[in-house]
Amino acid sequence: MNVDRLIEKSRGAEWFVKDEIVEMLAYPPASWEAAALMAEARRVSAEVAENKVEIHGQFALDLAPCGRNCDWCSFAAHNEVFNSQWQLPAEDAVAFALKFEAEGANAVLTMTTADYPFGKLLDIARDIRRHIKPETPLIANTGDTTLTQAKQMKDAGFDGVYHAVRLDEGRRNRIEPRKRLDTIRNHQEAGLWVGTCVEPVGPEHTNDELAEMILFTASISPAFSGAARRIPVPNTSLAEYGIISELRMAQIVAATRLAMPRITRGNCTHEPCTLGAVAGANLFWAEIGANPRDDQEKTEQNRGKDVEKCREIYWETGCEVLSGPSRHFTQAPMPIAPSRGYLQPRVAQV
Ligand code: SF4
């Protein structure tokens, strides 16, 4: 199949099989074929999201050495990147949420390390929910949860979660891929929207692996999927592998958009960049506090972008930022019943 046929299939909103996604990923990133696929992905993103893009505001509720020891993460205990640890006071969490809302973020996201106290997460969610607008989606990025816990998160005021089966899950950390998958099911069964991503992509990942993970994310009917490259944080054990270029990441962002069902509106990339938006990314995150890709405690003073910067990047690419609450979440496909089953990513079998 050539690129014209791939684009023709996309125009017809047809499903892509693994070999076709591998083909999309196999073109040299600087080729006209890759550029054509990026343009088509941007067209699809604009079509499904009414020509609007989104910025979500994410802040960390804690900084702590994490025993799950994901090799790529600056919080991993064995990477020994940070010397200090802290938990954000509830009043600061509310202040950050209100700040993001005032700056025009379309959703607010709290991020924790895996062992953050679950009761405290619920308490802070209730606090934030009491203060932000009822229509502003509140999203969690936290550790694995049971169905009971997922329902408690929903009751506490969360509308959705970011959760992913990461590339190399179970191989380069201490988390069973099955557990990540079960958590996604639990969230969806509890009525929480799930956004996900193909991440963290490194130079060593093959097109086969990426295509399988793209198809896995499609199989969960997410509020958004997308792609994010791995940032080589100094002193982390994967830093020596290096990084893929923004152009290669944009190519993966495009392939992911084309392979998602059209009911999935969102297509994320991280970190925010013009090439990602050109290739169909319509979700960026602004960040405050610690993050797993940075060795500075306040990422807003280093790698992290604020809402204004994200807006500027979108402007450079001719994208218009949505005003008001996220539609990626509020108009996302209803969570599917776990009984429908999901694809099993290859990493789930290691
Ligand atoms: S990515 Fe999450 S689970 Fe893994 S070490 Fe970092 S904080 Fe822990």
Side-chain angles (χ1 to χ4, degrees):
M1 184 173 289
N2 61 32
V3 74
D4 292 334
R5 177 65 190 126
L6 291 171
I7 290 173
E8 197 182 309
K9 275 192 84 168
S10 170
R11 294 275 162 112
E14 292 179 54
W15 284 91
F16 288 100
V17 297
K18 182 182 160 190
D19 285 352
E20 294 163 338
I21 300 169
V22 168
E23 185 179 337
M24 294 178 200
L25 296 168
Y27 292 116
S31 64
W32 75 266
E33 289 94 343
L37 291 167
M38 289 183 213
E40 171 61 9
R42 180 177 183 161
R43 186 196 69 76
V44 174
S45 281
E47 180 183 283
V48 299
E50 292 105 30
N51 275 312
K52 295 289 193 298
V53 295
E54 299 194 8
I55 302 167
H56 296 184
Q58 166 176 292
F59 58 92
L61 292 182
D62 71 329
L63 169 65
C66 179
R68 302 304 185 279
N69 275 330
C70 303
D71 283 349
W72 56 83
C73 176
S74 61
F75 301 140
H78 71 175
N79 281 332
E80 298 180 337
V81 172
F82 294 109
N83 296 318
S84 56
Q85 48 183 296
W86 44 258
Q87 290 184 354
L88 193 71
E91 55 270 28
D92 290 357
V94 170
F96 287 157
L98 290 173
K99 173 177 158 63
F100 276 134
E101 199 178 50
E103 290 171 349
N106 308 105
V108 169
L109 186 150
T110 62
M111 185 182 67
T112 74
T113 57
D115 292 324
Y116 187 81
F118 186 72
K120 195 163 183 180
L121 177 68
L122 299 182
D123 288 344
I124 287 192
R126 289 186 201 99
D127 268 356
I128 295 172
R129 181 41 80 201
R130 266 196 300 276
H131 288 83
I132 61 176
K133 295 174 193 162
E135 62 271 26
T136 300
L138 179 59
I139 312 301
N141 179 354
T142 193
D144 289 300
T145 51
T146 63
L147 177 58
T148 302
Q149 288 174 318
K151 288 176 177 171
Q152 289 172 324
M153 289 168 67
K154 174 87 176 160
D155 291 344
F158 284 115
D159 300 290
V161 296
Y162 174 81
H163 213 75
V165 178
R166 281 85 50 93
L167 292 158
D168 297 324
E169 201 85 70
R171 260 199 316 241
R172 295 195 180 277
N173 66 9
R174 291 190 192 147
I175 304 177
E176 281 302 310
R178 184 84 225 170
K179 199 161 188 179
R180 306 287 294 179
L181 188 56
D182 286 347
T183 295
I184 288 173
R185 289 178 164 152
N186 293 337
H187 287 148
Q188 292 188 319
E189 192 163 332
L192 292 161
W193 308 114
V194 175
T196 193
C197 185
V198 176
E199 58 110 344
V201 183
E204 75 280 13
H205 292 122
T206 65
N207 292 335
D208 256 45
E209 286 175 289
L210 296 175
E212 284 180 15
M213 192 56 86
I214 288 170
L215 283 171
F216 164 71
T217 69
S219 79
I220 67 169
S221 295
F224 63 83
S225 186
R229 63 179 176 171
R230 188 178 66 230
I231 302 297
V233 181
N235 300 323
T236 55
S237 41
L238 282 178
E240 67 187 59
Y241 283 80
I243 187 170
I244 61 169
S245 67
E246 281 190 358
L247 186 62
R248 172 64 173 161
M249 181 170 75
Q251 180 183 21
I252 302 166
V253 165
T256 305
R257 172 62 268 177
L258 296 177
M260 283 309 113
R262 294 294 159 92
I263 51 171
T264 293
R265 295 171 51 98
N267 195 41
C268 70
T269 198
H270 205 60
E271 295 161 331
C273 62
T274 50
L275 284 175
V278 166
N282 60 8
L283 171 56
F284 288 165
W285 285 276
E287 295 176 285
I288 296 177
N291 88 40
R293 285 162 284 95
D294 208 335
D295 59 359
Q296 303 297 306
E297 289 189 27
K298 294 185 175 180
T299 195
E300 65 273 26
Q301 296 172 359
N302 196 38
R303 300 199 68 89
K305 311 273 190 302
D306 61 14
V307 171
E308 201 44 47
K309 185 64 189 173
C310 292
R311 205 181 284 281
E312 270 176 44
I313 295 170
Y314 277 137
W315 182 86
E316 294 287 2
T317 59
C319 294
E320 187 182 344
V321 178
L322 174 74
S323 174
S326 169
R327 292 191 196 143
H328 292 343
F329 278 104
T330 54
Q331 292 182 14
M334 285 302 292
I336 59 174
S339 59
R340 281 181 52 184
Y342 304 129
L343 290 181
Q344 300 290 315
R346 182 194 300 181
V347 290
Q349 296 158 9
V350 298

